[in-house]
Amino acid sequence: MVITMENIIYEIAERENLVEIPEKLIFGRTFTDHVFEMDYDEALGGWHSPTIKKRTKLELSPAAMVLHYGQSIFEGLKAYKHNDGRIALFRPEKNIERLNNSAERMCIPKVDPKLVLDAMLELVKLEQNWIPTLPGHALYIRPVVFATDPFLGVKPASNFKLVILLSPVGPYYPEGFKPVPILATDQYVRAVRKGVGDCKTAGNYAASLAAQREAIKQGYTQVLWLDAIHLKFLEEVGTMNIFVKFKNEIATPNLTGSILPGVTRLSVLQILRDWGMNVNERMIGIDEIVTRYENGSLEEMFGTGTAAVISCVGRLKYKDKILKMCEDVGGDFSKKLYDEITGIQYGRIEDRYNWLTYID
Ligand SMILES: *Cc1c(COP(=O)(O)O)cnc(C)c1O
């Protein structure tokens, strides 16, 4: 059976009181009243029972395969409330396409992109009073798919659940656009080519925690990941893609398979090219960063991702060298880019690329 939004089951819990959004929103702590859920059962012919229902606890067997073998993928995007009251999602079709790419690699059944987009729009519409309107605020949308079969054995599961969860969020850096100190590590790697680094799959994030903990211990916020083979080429920064602004060029690592193809990265590339800049997707050695910092031709480095949008590298530590970047001065270019992309997201700047999907 082909399922569409016509088949959707609504179990709406009417609220007695008005929605009250906490004043200080910590990223990822507050959730709205409802979720979208859908189950996959191979024996029943695939995805079934798409439901919008009250958010409660999940019922899951302690033998659920996801808990043991990590067969799980997710996405992250945002809905923005504009000044005219309209609500827009930023490039949701890109996230759904990436969800299906992750699904393919992780032996998880794909979803119907149209159904999942409709489900997101429908859920956001229902929960629109949860969208904060303060500057830099938005509604974060988190789809997740995981294996539910109660079975102890390593094989692709036959039963899955998809949940779409909504979370009102404030700006990632409450103090505003803030440079972050970064530690380049060659003690840990995030992902290897032909592995799963280009998928948003749970294990990648579990594997990154020890390096993150080490960085924090040394007074840094995030890790700059280097490639797993040479321990030399830039890959990503924390859970963001990385860009480097040299005097006559902007470069970002090319997608080699171990790098997550960010939607923000893609959007930034498009904007930079339209600004007529010399943009290259290429290998960037950490040695090149050090050399060009020392000869004065490195201007800025910044991370890109849905959560923080653009995040300027304040200071970078690599071995015994500390490179001071937009911590003291500068960050002007990153800020300009931040203003451009958030301008489009919040409807302050014309959506010239048709990146926004509105809720009707
Ligand atoms: C999600 C993510 C990004 C950023 O992707 P966006 O689509 O721009 O949010 C970058 N790197 C990693 C490892 C990620 O998980």
Side-chain angles (χ1 to χ4, degrees), residues 171-246:
Y172 207 71
Y173 303 109
E175 314 81 18
F177 191 79
K178 190 178 162 231
V180 284
I182 303 292
L183 177 68
T185 181
D186 57 7
Q187 299 301 304
Y188 299 92
V189 295
R190 192 189 84 90
V192 294
R193 282 182 204 183
K194 301 182 195 288
V196 295
D198 56 355
C199 303
K200 264 185 146 47
T201 184
N204 284 340
Y205 305 86
S208 75
L209 298 175
Q212 167 82 2
R213 182 175 58 189
E214 180 62 29
I216 287 169
K217 212 160 91 188
Q218 295 191 37
Y220 292 81
T221 308
Q222 294 282 1
V223 174
L224 178 68
W225 299 103
L226 300 176
D227 79 280
I229 298 167
H230 310 91
L231 299 173
K232 203 175 147 172
F233 296 101
L234 273 55
E235 297 238 308
E236 301 201 52
V237 55
T239 57
M240 290 179 286
N241 293 113
I242 182 90
F243 281 75
V244 188
K245 183 169 190 303
F246 299 109

